[in-house]
Amino acid sequence: MMESNIHIRPVEAKDNATLAKIIRQTLKEFGANHPGTVYYDESTDRLSTLFEVHGSIYFVAEEDGEVLGGGGIYPTAGLGTETCELVKMYLSPKARGKGLGLTLLQKCIDFARGNSYKNIYLETMPELALAIKLYQKAGFKKLDGPMGQSGHYGCGIWMILNLEEYK
């Protein structure tokens, strides 16, 4: 279970550099730093401004003031008004195994529901097998192809969660 000294809050400008480093180091660690992924997105360096868009949020997890990672919801182009995308969910190595991924995912699901989304879509890669297990455990189901226009042609796994079926 998550430790009580871990705090979840919305992203701030002061988090940008640390989060970009966590995202890129995690992708590199798992050999998933391919073109067509968030590794190369210029927006990865400015999450606090990216998530100023209506219908979006990026949650940051920190412990004793240290940023451990985060994850967000974004109204990706081409998904329509009822579907949002779970984006840029990454944790530093020291944050893993504490239930923090599930906690962040639940915060994102709660936000999506509270903003009248009916589905949460995500894109990932086979190299991120631990994350895929988390998504499947939460009820995400694999799709045959991508949705929307994320621009992440380097992702080969697409999943969706129907919030009306989610418990």
Side-chain angles (χ1 to χ4, degrees), residues 13-120:
K14 68 179 183 175
D15 305 317
N16 287 342
T18 302
L19 288 167
K21 184 176 179 183
I22 289 169
I23 290 168
R24 290 190 175 110
Q25 284 181 337
T26 300
L27 287 168
K28 195 171 185 182
E29 173 188 352
F30 289 97
N33 52 334
H34 312 295
T37 67
V38 298
Y39 188 89
Y40 291 97
D41 283 359
E42 60 84 24
S43 64
T44 299
D45 295 306
R46 54 175 185 84
L47 295 182
S48 65
T49 55
L50 177 67
F51 286 90
E52 289 175 355
V53 172
H54 178 74
S56 74
I57 193 158
Y58 192 84
F59 292 108
V60 174
E62 66 179 6
E63 183 176 32
D64 301 323
E66 179 185 356
V67 173
L68 301 175
I73 291 292
Y74 197 81
T76 300
L79 290 180
T81 58
E82 294 187 347
T83 303
C84 59
E85 186 176 2
L86 178 70
V87 294
K88 295 175 172 56
M89 189 158 142
Y90 295 92
L91 295 172
S92 66
K94 75 180 277 185
R96 299 178 201 146
K98 298 181 179 187
L100 190 50
L102 187 59
T103 299
L104 280 169
L105 181 58
Q106 188 60 56
K107 292 281 280 183
C108 289
I109 289 169
D110 292 345
F111 176 85
R113 275 191 168 144
N115 282 268
S116 302
Y117 290 116
K118 294 194 168 123
N119 303 289
I120 301 176

Side-chain angles (χ1 to χ4, degrees), residues 115-154:
N115 282 268
S116 302
Y117 290 116
K118 294 194 168 123
N119 303 289
I120 301 176
Y121 168 75
L122 68 82
E123 299 175 333
T124 190
M125 296 161 272
E127 295 90 340
L128 303 176
L130 294 174
I132 294 166
K133 284 182 186 176
L134 171 69
Y135 302 142
Q136 288 174 322
K137 184 177 177 183
F140 280 84
K141 294 180 176 35
K142 287 189 178 180
L143 297 169
D144 293 332
M147 295 173 57
Q149 296 141 11
S150 73
H152 294 144
Y153 61 85

